[in-house]
Every structure is written in C-alpha cells, then in structure tokens.
Amino acid sequence: MTASAHMIELRDVTHAYRTKAGPLPVLDRLSIQIPENSFCAVVGPSGCGKSTLTRLVSGLMRPNQGEVWLHGQRVTSPRPTVGMAFQNPVLLEWRTILQNVLLPMEIVKSPMSKAEATERAHHLLDLVGLTGFAEKRPSELSGGMRQRASLCRSIIHKPDVLILDEPFGALDAFTREDLWCTMHDLRAEEPFTCLLITHDLRESVFLADQVVVMSGRPAHAQYVMEVDLPGKRSLDDLYSPKAVEMLATLRHQIQVAQGRTVDDTAEAKA
Amino acid sequence: MNDTLRKILAPLLFIIGILAFWEWIVWYKQLPDFRMASPSDLIPRYIRFWDLFLIKSWETLWRTVAGLGLAVIFGTLIGMVMGFSRFAREGLYPILVGFNAIPKATVVPIVALMFVGQHDFNTVLIAFMISFFPIAVSVSIGLSTLEPEYRDILRSLGASNFTIFWKIALPKTLPEFFGALKVAVTLAFIGTNLMEIVSPHGRGLGDLFDSGRISADYPLMFAVLFALAALGIVLFYVVVFLERIFAGWAERNPG
Ligand SMILES: Nc1ncnc2c1ncn2[C@@H]1O[C@H](COP(=O)(O)OP(=O)(O)OP(=O)(O)O)[C@@H](O)[C@H]1O
Ligand SMILES: [Mg+2]
C-alpha cells in the first residue's frame, strides 16, 4: 500500500448497502484520481452511486473494500479541511441564512476572525446572487436559493477539498451559467480541489479538468476524459468544435452507461 | 381591526358573553346555590377570602411549577436516552406506557400514605409523575427521527456527537418539546390539585376547595374552580411565550 500522490484518490473501491432484501452492490472497483487543485466532474446515470461516492470521499462512510485517499492519507473519518454541499441542501430553519453559512466556522478551527468570516459570508452570498438575504430564514427562500446558500456554507471555511453533489440541480439555466462563471472566479481567487457530481454534461465540460463517466450500478469508472480547454473559460468555449466533440463523446458514454447503446470502443478491444 | 387588539378583545368578549349566559340561566331556572352558583355569587367570596386565595394560589402554583420543572429535567433526560439508544427505547417504552396508563387518582392516596404529612413533597411528586410522560416521549421521538441529512452537515466537518446534539438535534426538537410542555402544564396542574384535595389538611387551592365542600359553601367551590382556570391559563401562556422565544422559527407566516 503506497501513499497517494494525488489530492483525492479512490483505489478499487467496492461498496454495497445492506438492505432488507440483501446487499445492494453500488460501487464495483471504482478508481478515480484527482490531482491537487484540479477539478473533477463525475457524471453517470441516476442511482448509479454518485452520492455514495461523495460520502465515501468525505469520510461519512467507509467502503467495504478498497481505499480512499485524501491529502496522502487514508480516509477513515470526516475531516474539517473538506467542504461539502449535499444533494438535498438542508439548512437549519432556526438560523438565519447568514448564521447557516457561518455554521462550519463554529466547528472548524480557522485563522479567520469572526468579523472576517462574516465579511466573507456576505461576499459569498453576493457572489451567488443572494445579496440582501443574509438575515432571512430558510423558509423564506426558494429551493434554488437554498441550494446557493448551502454552496456558500460549503466553502466558508476555505476547505482544500470541495465536494459538490449536484449543487446547481434546482437552478434555472441562466442562474446556473452565472454560477459556473462564479466557480471559475472562486478557483482563481483561492485554489481548491473539487469533486463535482452533476448530470449536466455542459456543466461538466465547462467546469472540469477531468470528467469521469460512471457506469450503471454497480458502478466503476467507465470512461475518463481530460478536458482540453483553457483554464479560465468563457461560455463561448462550449461552442468550440473541440467542446462540441467532447460533449458528443460524453453523451455517447452516458448512453452506454445506461445500457442503451453498446460501447463500440470496448467491442473493438474485445 | 388591529391584530393585537383583536387578540385581547376577542377572548374578553367571549368570557363576558359566557358569564352573562351563565348568570342568566341560573336566574331563569331559579337554580339554588348548591346546584349551580352564579358568577355574581362568586364575587363576595373573592372579596371575603382574597388573602386565602392569594396564599393558596401561590402554594398551588409553585408546587405545580416545581413538579413541571422536574418533569422537564427527567423527561428530557429519559427522552434523550431513548432517542439516542434504540436498545433503551425498546426496553423503556412499554414500561413508560404502563406507568402512564395507571390512573393517577389511584397513586395519589398511596403517595399520600407513603410520605404522610410531607405535603409539598407529595404534591410535587404527583405533579411530576403525571406530567413527565409526554415530555419524555416527544423528546425521544424528536431525537430518533432526526433526518440523517441534518446530522451529516456537521458530521462531514468532523464535529463531535455532543456538538451535533447541541447545535442540531436539540434546537430541532424544540417545537415538539414545547408541544408536549403545553400538555404537561395542564397535566401537572391536575396532579397538584388531586393531591391537594385528597390529602387531609392539605395546602393550595385544592384545600380551599375541600374546605368549601366541608362547610357546604358551594359558591366558594365554584370560586376555586375559577381561580384554578385562571392559574391554568397563566401557566399555559407562559409556555406559549417561551415557545415564541425559543422555537418561534417553527411558526410559518401564513401568507
Ligand atoms: N442509505 C442507503 N441504504 C440503502 N440503499 C441506498 C442508500 N443510499 C443509497 N442507496 C441506493 O444506492 C444506490 C446509489 O445511490 P446514490 O444516492 O449514490 O445514487 P446517485 O448516483 O447519487 O443518484 P442520483 O443521480 O439520482 O442522485 C441507489 O440505488 C440507492 O437506492
Ligand atoms: Mg445523488
């Protein structure tokens, strides 16, 4: 067992949920490598185990078999250097949006002072378009707004590793594209390693350095694509011939994962 | 109409209406004192016994609150144990249900015998015994049904179980807790009075009621009932007030 040189690494991770009907295999020898400060997007059919993957990387769960590495250390329990935005963005109803965003600061030891953290929270809320909502309660926000608030909560403590589980799922196309650009800005300001789960292929190509397509359940990494676009992108880049070709490849791979098409490259190999 | 004005005026109007109807029906049917006292019969009793009413009300009040306080402390503790440990929940639940099913009127004379003469202790004990059940159950249900998503927010940052309890589980159960406390307040009150009426030479409004019964002063008995109702309302609204402060977030704006 050699230590991982990557920021995040999964080695042959196999996991099954125990259910009443018996074990439900979800991941089958899944391997992913994410270098420091790079951005990895994971796409795959619904129910293939993407959220399970985020729970394994964040240490909320341990895999049945295989290894999860973070920072060159085996993941055995959650750690405060990770920021996580859940697929179901729960906010604490008894706190204001600002207090919700600041929640991690009450747990994590951080060099930021309280005033600095508050200022940062306001800055982040501005970035995601929630200016003026700091003192509102979660019940006064729409689903998409809650999702954005939960995004702010996941990065307030400047984590080295950011795990986002479909963070833009409940957003309209325009807000979503705005936030994509915001993500690029954020990365330029403060580098972090990101694992993004999404089902939007354009999102994956626009944001990521690497896109992993997961197969159907039990899932392994069916296809890995290096995204060969400039580091800081504009939305127009999505219409470049290179991007269009990548999107077509990904779409094809998803169909293979869903079992709708056979993978002709695999057939060629066989 | 102004909102706060309505909240004060509406109950007042209803009280006056009901009292007027009551007065009328006693007069119309020519009911004697011992069948039904009329509101106008009560006023002389309050005037004559005002000092007794104050003293006895205070005795009833503080013992109810003491019993309720114990019920909150032990009910919450038992609820926490049951909420966090499935083993404890499954083991304790039938016992609690059985304990709660015993009519407290049967426990009162037993307790009165066991701690004969210790009026305060007796009464507080009964108030506690009768009121801790809803609190224990609501806290245990609130904690055991906490959605894992809530827990995960803090767990993913490496927070300790105590932090998760303090920052998430506790505040999240507060609405259920206060719902139970409203029930418990009334129950504790019933417990106190049961004891006061049953134990000889007792204290509190229950004792005043008993002396009314012994001296066949029927209006006095009715007057005590009213004093009890007033105390009950005060206690209940104190809980409502606390709920506003600590769990006001659970109240949604209707519009
Ligand atoms: N706690 C659990 N217990 C049992 N089975 C579970 C549990 N969580 C998830 N599963 C099952 O594991 C599989 C993968 O779930 P997961 O949430 O990881 O999927 P996903 O890829 O995130 O799906 P989606 O894109 O719809 O969010 C699903 O079939 C689901 O039914
Ligand atoms: Mg999911």
Side-chain angles (χ1 to χ4, degrees), chain B residues 92-174:
Chain B
L92 283 175
Y93 213 86
I95 299 174
L96 277 189
V97 171
F99 181 81
N100 189 51
I102 301 173
K104 293 302 169 293
T106 59
V107 182
V108 167
I110 297 177
V111 170
L113 266 179
M114 275 166 98
F115 306 101
V116 79
Q118 295 172 288
H119 294 297
D120 290 341
F121 180 78
N122 277 337
T123 316
V124 171
L125 185 66
I126 287 290
F128 158 72
M129 274 167 45
I130 203 171
S131 62
F132 87 99
F133 182 77
I135 296 177
V137 170
S138 80
V139 170
S140 84
I141 289 179
L143 292 181
S144 63
T145 56
L146 180 71
E147 294 91 335
E149 286 91 343
Y150 280 86
R151 209 166 291 162
D152 285 347
I153 302 173
L154 285 192
R155 223 156 65 81
S156 67
L157 294 163
S160 68
N161 277 336
F162 177 77
T163 312
I164 294 174
F165 171 75
W166 184 247
K167 293 205 184 276
I168 308 242
L170 188 76
K172 183 112 174 68
T173 6
L174 276 183

Side-chain angles (χ1 to χ4, degrees), chain A residues 46-47 49-52 87 165-166 197:
Chain A
S46 179
K50 301 185 294 298
S51 297
T52 308
Q87 186 167 14
D165 195 350
E166 304 195 18
I197 309 295

